[in-house]
Amino acid sequence: MSHDDVHAIRLNSSLDHVGVARDFVAEIAKAVPMTAREVYDLELVVDEAVTNVIEHGYAGRDDASVEIAVALDDGHFTILITHDGLAFDPASHPDVDLKAYITERRVGGLGLFLMKKLLDEVEYSTAADGRRQIRMMKKRQTNPLAPDDGRPS
């Protein structure tokens, strides 16, 4: 992220801080402004991504950190989550068969599915310094003041 309008926060890797991460991103999105639906989608994907970093990348450890940076650039809202936990390879996880998922009444495992559906881009990588990164980008609607679909903000 190399844009002048970047906001960042560093949190302890505790599940108690997932709400802080979600609220941090939501407040920036509301100020842009983005529609209530866009804000809701961003809250959901940040919640999923940070929870996955803590539960899987850090195996539940709460003594590490998760960094979240948000950048606004040319109609794009980009979130970069950086951590020192284990790497995740999305290619090693097949796409979710939603019909089977519902039929079998599974719990969990929809994080990547939701991220792919709600965002325009999702990329997992390892930075030059060895830290893991999740880059998520959502294109803003051209008219954020247009009526949305009534999803909560």
Side-chain angles (χ1 to χ4, degrees), residues 25-95:
V25 171
E27 288 306 311
I28 296 167
K30 288 175 187 175
V32 168
M34 295 179 87
T35 66
R37 179 182 177 135
E38 290 171 319
V39 173
Y40 178 82
D41 291 351
L42 291 170
E43 287 176 304
L44 185 57
V45 298
V46 166
D47 190 293
E48 288 290 339
V50 173
T51 297
N52 285 342
V53 165
I54 294 167
E55 289 183 344
H56 304 292
Y58 285 129
R61 287 183 23 227
D62 64 1
D63 61 344
S65 67
V66 179
E67 297 168 20
I68 302 160
V70 175
L72 312 169
D73 192 16
D74 297 330
H76 298 94
F77 191 96
T78 303
I79 303 164
L80 183 66
I81 299 174
T82 306
H83 63 94
D84 294 309
L86 298 173
F88 174 73
D89 178 13
S92 68
H93 290 46
D95 288 340

Side-chain angles (χ1 to χ4, degrees), residues 14-20 54:
S14 167
L15 289 174
D16 292 338
H17 294 132
V18 172
V20 175
I54 294 167

Side-chain angles (χ1 to χ4, degrees), residues 85-132:
L86 298 173
F88 174 73
D89 178 13
S92 68
H93 290 46
D95 288 340
V96 172
D97 176 347
L98 202 51
K99 189 173 184 178
Y101 183 93
I102 293 168
T103 302
E104 296 169 12
R105 297 182 180 199
R106 293 186 208 158
V107 176
L110 287 179
L112 185 58
F113 172 82
L114 290 170
M115 286 184 237
K116 288 179 179 180
K117 292 295 180 192
L118 299 176
L119 297 167
D120 295 295
E121 292 179 21
V122 180
E123 176 183 284
Y124 288 79
S125 63
T126 300
D129 64 2
R131 302 191 76 212
R132 313 298 184 207

